[in-house]
Amino acid sequence: MKDYYAALGIDSDAPLSAVKTAYRKKASEFHPDKNTDADAPARFREVQEAYDLLSDPQRRKEYDENRQRSLLESPVATAEQIWTTYMQKVMQ
């Protein structure tokens, strides 16, 4: 399961305005026309996908519920995924 909040660098309780602000910042940072890194197009798509989901209230609610279930049903795997995503962001 992808961590869309981590993709945008926001907390899970962030309001829609913070989602929009984070999206604009990350999209600008990873836009292939501005960023020549090899992973920029993939990161840009990830940011776009995160924004598409988190900006839609119904889809965000479903995502949050699924995220909560995943944490309860397989806490070790979920914690490992969160830690890996976090460390990738820190090491950049």
Side-chain angles (χ1 to χ4, degrees), residues 18-56:
V19 172
K20 288 180 181 181
T21 301
Y23 165 70
R24 288 185 186 118
K25 179 181 174 191
K26 293 286 186 177
S28 177
E29 179 182 346
F30 294 115
H31 194 282
D33 290 344
K34 294 182 179 181
N35 189 330
T36 58
D37 289 346
D39 68 338
R43 297 289 307 274
F44 181 77
R45 283 190 299 275
E46 179 183 350
V47 168
Q48 181 66 50
E49 184 178 339
Y51 177 73
D52 288 344
L53 186 133
L54 296 177
S55 64
D56 180 315

Side-chain angles (χ1 to χ4, degrees), residues 7 13 25 36 49 62-63 66 69 73 82 84 86-87:
D13 61 350
K25 179 181 174 191
T36 58
E49 184 178 339
E62 291 169 3
Y63 171 74
N66 189 33
R69 262 192 313 279
E73 293 171 0
I82 292 169
T84 302
Y86 172 76
M87 289 306 293

